[in-house]
Amino acid sequence: ASRSKRSAREMLLALKESGVDTIPGTSAEILDDGIRAKIAGQRLSTEEWISVVTTAHEVGLRSSSTIMYGHIETAEHIAKHIDILRQIQRKTG
């Protein structure tokens, strides 16, 4: 979105209007900024990732999500990741 100088919402709407109905939930890695900074420093922050996925759902796109584990995260980080996904599901259906 930033390359085209359009907001994420505008890009997602354009995708929807062109016939796209799902987006992959990639770049999630683990939804904890401390861990993300160490394993995926160039990626979106947790808050940015949540915003994009939530916006996608709001404009009618469905999504998936991934979790990358087995590195430096703890069980608490994994539980937090899953809870964030659950909160998004509750909010957006």
Side-chain angles (χ1 to χ4, degrees):
S2 62
R3 288 184 191 167
S4 68
K5 308 225 188 283
R6 296 164 81 179
S7 71
R9 178 175 289 279
E10 290 170 325
M11 291 300 296
L12 292 165
L13 281 169
L15 289 170
K16 178 73 174 167
E17 290 168 4
S18 70
V20 172
D21 61 1
T22 61
I23 61 168
T26 59
S27 290
E29 275 77 26
I30 190 90
L31 296 173
D32 177 276
D33 285 331
I35 301 297
R36 291 175 73 77
K38 294 176 183 171
I39 66 171
Q42 303 271 333
R43 303 277 184 165
L44 299 173
S45 70
T46 299
E47 184 177 322
E48 291 167 325
W49 188 91
I50 292 168
S51 177
V52 170
V53 170
T54 301
T55 301
H57 293 181
E58 289 170 354
V59 302
L61 295 168
R62 294 176 296 154
S63 70
S64 61
S65 180
T66 58
I67 183 171
M68 186 170 64
Y69 61 93
H71 295 85
I72 59 172
E73 77 291 329
T74 65
E76 183 179 337
H77 295 119
I78 294 168
K80 180 181 172 186
H81 177 100
I82 293 168
D83 186 55
I84 289 170
L85 298 180
R86 184 174 26 199
Q87 289 174 39
I88 292 170
Q89 287 177 325
R90 284 183 180 147
K91 180 179 178 181
T92 64

